[in-house]
PDB file of all heavy atoms in Angstrom:
ATOM      1  N   PRO A 130      77.627 243.053 184.871  1.00  0.00           N
ATOM      2  CA  PRO A 130      76.188 243.152 184.823  1.00  0.00           C
ATOM      3  C   PRO A 130      75.742 244.655 185.052  1.00  0.00           C
ATOM      4  O   PRO A 130      76.334 245.332 185.900  1.00  0.00           O
ATOM      5  CB  PRO A 130      75.654 242.278 185.916  1.00  0.00           C
ATOM      6  CG  PRO A 130      76.812 242.098 186.861  1.00  0.00           C
ATOM      7  CD  PRO A 130      78.061 242.302 186.066  1.00  0.00           C
ATOM      8  N   ILE A 131      74.750 245.050 184.333  1.00  0.00           N
ATOM      9  CA  ILE A 131      74.222 246.421 184.422  1.00  0.00           C
ATOM     10  C   ILE A 131      72.689 246.344 184.376  1.00  0.00           C
ATOM     11  O   ILE A 131      72.079 245.319 184.052  1.00  0.00           O
ATOM     12  CB  ILE A 131      74.695 247.313 183.297  1.00  0.00           C
ATOM     13  CG1 ILE A 131      74.224 246.776 181.926  1.00  0.00           C
ATOM     14  CG2 ILE A 131      76.193 247.490 183.416  1.00  0.00           C
ATOM     15  CD1 ILE A 131      74.577 247.750 180.798  1.00  0.00           C
ATOM     16  N   THR A 132      72.127 247.369 184.920  1.00  0.00           N
ATOM     17  CA  THR A 132      70.582 247.478 184.825  1.00  0.00           C
ATOM     18  C   THR A 132      70.231 248.124 183.497  1.00  0.00           C
ATOM     19  O   THR A 132      71.108 248.852 182.892  1.00  0.00           O
ATOM     20  CB  THR A 132      70.070 248.338 185.973  1.00  0.00           C
ATOM     21  OG1 THR A 132      70.524 249.636 185.846  1.00  0.00           O
ATOM     22  CG2 THR A 132      70.483 247.792 187.328  1.00  0.00           C
ATOM     23  N   ASP A 133      69.030 248.103 183.168  1.00  0.00           N
ATOM     24  CA  ASP A 133      68.506 248.721 181.965  1.00  0.00           C
ATOM     25  C   ASP A 133      68.728 250.284 182.062  1.00  0.00           C
ATOM     26  O   ASP A 133      69.163 250.899 181.126  1.00  0.00           O
ATOM     27  CB  ASP A 133      67.047 248.458 181.769  1.00  0.00           C
ATOM     28  CG  ASP A 133      66.579 249.077 180.438  1.00  0.00           C
ATOM     29  OD1 ASP A 133      66.994 248.616 179.328  1.00  0.00           O
ATOM     30  OD2 ASP A 133      65.689 249.962 180.530  1.00  0.00           O
ATOM     31  N   ALA A 134      68.623 250.825 183.272  1.00  0.00           N
ATOM     32  CA  ALA A 134      68.808 252.290 183.407  1.00  0.00           C
ATOM     33  C   ALA A 134      70.318 252.728 183.261  1.00  0.00           C
ATOM     34  O   ALA A 134      70.591 253.844 182.883  1.00  0.00           O
ATOM     35  CB  ALA A 134      68.352 252.677 184.836  1.00  0.00           C
ATOM     36  N   GLU A 135      71.187 251.732 183.410  1.00  0.00           N
ATOM     37  CA  GLU A 135      72.624 252.024 183.238  1.00  0.00           C
ATOM     38  C   GLU A 135      73.180 251.916 181.814  1.00  0.00           C
ATOM     39  O   GLU A 135      74.258 252.290 181.481  1.00  0.00           O
ATOM     40  CB  GLU A 135      73.495 251.079 184.095  1.00  0.00           C
ATOM     41  CG  GLU A 135      73.323 251.374 185.574  1.00  0.00           C
ATOM     42  CD  GLU A 135      73.983 250.277 186.341  1.00  0.00           C
ATOM     43  OE1 GLU A 135      73.734 249.062 186.242  1.00  0.00           O
ATOM     44  OE2 GLU A 135      74.935 250.619 187.198  1.00  0.00           O
ATOM     45  N   ARG A 136      72.209 251.444 180.855  1.00  0.00           N
ATOM     46  CA  ARG A 136      72.645 251.254 179.584  1.00  0.00           C
ATOM     47  C   ARG A 136      72.921 252.625 178.878  1.00  0.00           C
ATOM     48  O   ARG A 136      72.304 253.614 179.134  1.00  0.00           O
ATOM     49  CB  ARG A 136      71.490 250.599 178.688  1.00  0.00           C
ATOM     50  CG  ARG A 136      71.312 249.189 179.143  1.00  0.00           C
ATOM     51  CD  ARG A 136      70.237 248.534 178.335  1.00  0.00           C
ATOM     52  NE  ARG A 136      70.527 248.569 176.986  1.00  0.00           N
ATOM     53  CZ  ARG A 136      69.572 248.720 175.966  1.00  0.00           C
ATOM     54  NH1 ARG A 136      68.327 248.788 176.321  1.00  0.00           N
ATOM     55  NH2 ARG A 136      69.886 248.796 174.658  1.00  0.00           N
ATOM     56  N   ARG A 137      73.969 252.611 177.957  1.00  0.00           N
ATOM     57  CA  ARG A 137      74.259 253.830 177.182  1.00  0.00           C
ATOM     58  C   ARG A 137      74.530 253.426 175.724  1.00  0.00           C
ATOM     59  O   ARG A 137      74.776 254.361 174.885  1.00  0.00           O
ATOM     60  CB  ARG A 137      75.453 254.556 177.822  1.00  0.00           C
ATOM     61  CG  ARG A 137      76.693 253.748 177.918  1.00  0.00           C
ATOM     62  CD  ARG A 137      77.802 254.661 178.499  1.00  0.00           C
ATOM     63  NE  ARG A 137      78.982 253.912 178.686  1.00  0.00           N
ATOM     64  CZ  ARG A 137      79.538 253.661 179.918  1.00  0.00           C
ATOM     65  NH1 ARG A 137      79.038 254.231 180.929  1.00  0.00           N
ATOM     66  NH2 ARG A 137      80.591 252.816 180.036  1.00  0.00           N
ATOM     67  N   VAL A 138      74.521 252.214 175.333  1.00  0.00           N
ATOM     68  CA  VAL A 138      74.872 251.873 174.006  1.00  0.00           C
ATOM     69  C   VAL A 138      73.550 251.194 173.476  1.00  0.00           C
ATOM     70  O   VAL A 138      73.251 250.072 173.774  1.00  0.00           O
ATOM     71  CB  VAL A 138      75.975 250.783 173.857  1.00  0.00           C
ATOM     72  CG1 VAL A 138      76.309 250.448 172.424  1.00  0.00           C
ATOM     73  CG2 VAL A 138      77.279 251.436 174.578  1.00  0.00           C
ATOM     74  N   ARG A 139      72.837 251.989 172.726  1.00  0.00           N
ATOM     75  CA  ARG A 139      71.482 251.551 172.270  1.00  0.00           C
ATOM     76  C   ARG A 139      71.364 251.482 170.766  1.00  0.00           C
ATOM     77  O   ARG A 139      70.558 252.199 170.233  1.00  0.00           O
ATOM     78  CB  ARG A 139      70.400 252.438 172.927  1.00  0.00           C
ATOM     79  CG  ARG A 139      70.320 252.378 174.440  1.00  0.00           C
ATOM     80  CD  ARG A 139      69.290 253.263 174.970  1.00  0.00           C
ATOM     81  NE  ARG A 139      69.304 253.243 176.486  1.00  0.00           N
ATOM     82  CZ  ARG A 139      68.527 252.414 177.163  1.00  0.00           C
ATOM     83  NH1 ARG A 139      67.740 251.684 176.633  1.00  0.00           N
ATOM     84  NH2 ARG A 139      68.625 252.475 178.506  1.00  0.00           N
ATOM     85  N   GLY A 140      72.157 250.683 170.194  1.00  0.00           N
ATOM     86  CA  GLY A 140      72.143 250.484 168.701  1.00  0.00           C
ATOM     87  C   GLY A 140      73.430 251.120 168.083  1.00  0.00           C
ATOM     88  O   GLY A 140      74.348 251.623 168.765  1.00  0.00           O
ATOM     89  N   PRO A 141      73.492 251.050 166.787  1.00  0.00           N
ATOM     90  CA  PRO A 141      74.671 251.561 166.086  1.00  0.00           C
ATOM     91  C   PRO A 141      74.853 252.975 166.380  1.00  0.00           C
ATOM     92  O   PRO A 141      73.940 253.762 166.553  1.00  0.00           O
ATOM     93  CB  PRO A 141      74.362 251.264 164.612  1.00  0.00           C
ATOM     94  CG  PRO A 141      73.378 250.121 164.617  1.00  0.00           C
ATOM     95  CD  PRO A 141      72.585 250.323 165.901  1.00  0.00           C
ATOM     96  N   ARG A 142      76.157 253.444 166.277  1.00  0.00           N
ATOM     97  CA  ARG A 142      76.471 254.856 166.566  1.00  0.00           C
ATOM     98  C   ARG A 142      76.020 255.700 165.393  1.00  0.00           C
ATOM     99  O   ARG A 142      76.273 255.391 164.284  1.00  0.00           O
ATOM    100  CB  ARG A 142      77.955 254.910 166.730  1.00  0.00           C
ATOM    101  CG  ARG A 142      78.557 256.227 167.079  1.00  0.00           C
ATOM    102  CD  ARG A 142      80.076 256.355 167.092  1.00  0.00           C
ATOM    103  NE  ARG A 142      80.777 255.223 167.692  1.00  0.00           N
ATOM    104  CZ  ARG A 142      81.691 255.482 168.650  1.00  0.00           C
ATOM    105  NH1 ARG A 142      81.929 256.593 169.116  1.00  0.00           N
ATOM    106  NH2 ARG A 142      82.343 254.393 169.120  1.00  0.00           N
ATOM    107  N   PRO A 143      75.358 256.845 165.702  1.00  0.00           N
ATOM    108  CA  PRO A 143      74.902 257.662 164.637  1.00  0.00           C
ATOM    109  C   PRO A 143      76.169 258.337 163.983  1.00  0.00           C
ATOM    110  O   PRO A 143      77.148 258.524 164.670  1.00  0.00           O
ATOM    111  CB  PRO A 143      74.024 258.727 165.296  1.00  0.00           C
ATOM    112  CG  PRO A 143      74.192 258.518 166.743  1.00  0.00           C
ATOM    113  CD  PRO A 143      74.854 257.274 167.016  1.00  0.00           C
ATOM    114  N   PRO A 144      76.152 258.625 162.675  1.00  0.00           N
ATOM    115  CA  PRO A 144      77.276 259.196 162.028  1.00  0.00           C
ATOM    116  C   PRO A 144      77.902 260.394 162.628  1.00  0.00           C
ATOM    117  O   PRO A 144      79.089 260.569 162.738  1.00  0.00           O
ATOM    118  CB  PRO A 144      76.694 259.556 160.682  1.00  0.00           C
ATOM    119  CG  PRO A 144      75.595 258.619 160.374  1.00  0.00           C
ATOM    120  CD  PRO A 144      74.912 258.423 161.755  1.00  0.00           C
ATOM    121  N   GLU A 145      77.037 261.272 163.274  1.00  0.00           N
ATOM    122  CA  GLU A 145      77.543 262.453 163.980  1.00  0.00           C
ATOM    123  C   GLU A 145      78.441 262.133 165.172  1.00  0.00           C
ATOM    124  O   GLU A 145      79.167 263.018 165.700  1.00  0.00           O
ATOM    125  CB  GLU A 145      76.478 263.429 164.302  1.00  0.00           C
ATOM    126  CG  GLU A 145      75.472 263.047 165.299  1.00  0.00           C
ATOM    127  CD  GLU A 145      74.263 262.227 164.698  1.00  0.00           C
ATOM    128  OE1 GLU A 145      74.356 261.850 163.494  1.00  0.00           O
ATOM    129  OE2 GLU A 145      73.323 261.971 165.416  1.00  0.00           O
ATOM    130  N   GLU A 146      78.397 260.927 165.605  1.00  0.00           N
ATOM    131  CA  GLU A 146      79.216 260.509 166.826  1.00  0.00           C
ATOM    132  C   GLU A 146      80.353 259.593 166.463  1.00  0.00           C
ATOM    133  O   GLU A 146      81.076 259.160 167.345  1.00  0.00           O
ATOM    134  CB  GLU A 146      78.309 259.732 167.795  1.00  0.00           C
ATOM    135  CG  GLU A 146      77.226 260.570 168.483  1.00  0.00           C
ATOM    136  CD  GLU A 146      76.396 259.794 169.432  1.00  0.00           C
ATOM    137  OE1 GLU A 146      76.773 258.635 169.874  1.00  0.00           O
ATOM    138  OE2 GLU A 146      75.356 260.344 169.845  1.00  0.00           O
ATOM    139  N   HIS A 147      80.614 259.379 165.177  1.00  0.00           N
ATOM    140  CA  HIS A 147      81.787 258.646 164.711  1.00  0.00           C
ATOM    141  C   HIS A 147      83.006 259.217 165.233  1.00  0.00           C
ATOM    142  O   HIS A 147      83.205 260.461 165.171  1.00  0.00           O
ATOM    143  CB  HIS A 147      81.823 258.536 163.230  1.00  0.00           C
ATOM    144  CG  HIS A 147      80.820 257.588 162.652  1.00  0.00           C
ATOM    145  ND1 HIS A 147      80.818 257.159 161.286  1.00  0.00           N
ATOM    146  CD2 HIS A 147      79.808 256.875 163.208  1.00  0.00           C
ATOM    147  CE1 HIS A 147      79.919 256.334 161.101  1.00  0.00           C
ATOM    148  NE2 HIS A 147      79.189 256.139 162.261  1.00  0.00           N
ATOM    149  N   GLY A 148      83.940 258.438 165.848  1.00  0.00           N
ATOM    150  CA  GLY A 148      85.203 258.920 166.377  1.00  0.00           C
ATOM    151  C   GLY A 148      85.117 259.455 167.761  1.00  0.00           C
ATOM    152  O   GLY A 148      86.138 259.805 168.373  1.00  0.00           O
ATOM    153  N   ALA A 149      83.891 259.510 168.375  1.00  0.00           N
ATOM    154  CA  ALA A 149      83.793 260.097 169.715  1.00  0.00           C
ATOM    155  C   ALA A 149      84.367 259.092 170.700  1.00  0.00           C
ATOM    156  O   ALA A 149      84.356 257.830 170.517  1.00  0.00           O
ATOM    157  CB  ALA A 149      82.351 260.350 170.052  1.00  0.00           C
ATOM    158  N   SER A 150      84.987 259.593 171.776  1.00  0.00           N
ATOM    159  CA  SER A 150      85.566 258.752 172.790  1.00  0.00           C
ATOM    160  C   SER A 150      84.411 257.997 173.618  1.00  0.00           C
ATOM    161  O   SER A 150      83.365 258.620 173.727  1.00  0.00           O
ATOM    162  CB  SER A 150      86.316 259.599 173.718  1.00  0.00           C
ATOM    163  OG  SER A 150      87.078 258.850 174.744  1.00  0.00           O
ATOM    164  N   ILE A 151      84.721 256.854 174.047  1.00  0.00           N
ATOM    165  CA  ILE A 151      83.746 256.102 174.826  1.00  0.00           C
ATOM    166  C   ILE A 151      84.119 256.201 176.375  1.00  0.00           C
ATOM    167  O   ILE A 151      85.325 256.141 176.586  1.00  0.00           O
ATOM    168  CB  ILE A 151      83.643 254.649 174.382  1.00  0.00           C
ATOM    169  CG1 ILE A 151      84.950 253.916 174.345  1.00  0.00           C
ATOM    170  CG2 ILE A 151      82.937 254.505 173.051  1.00  0.00           C
ATOM    171  CD1 ILE A 151      84.948 252.415 174.000  1.00  0.00           C
TER     172      ILE A 151
END
Side-chain angles (χ1 to χ4, degrees):
I131 60 173
T132 65
D133 185 64
E135 293 172 302
R136 291 182 57 212
R137 61 175 172 243
V138 181
R139 296 181 182 265
R142 188 188 310 238
E145 63 273 11
E146 292 180 14
H147 284 190
S150 184
I151 53 178

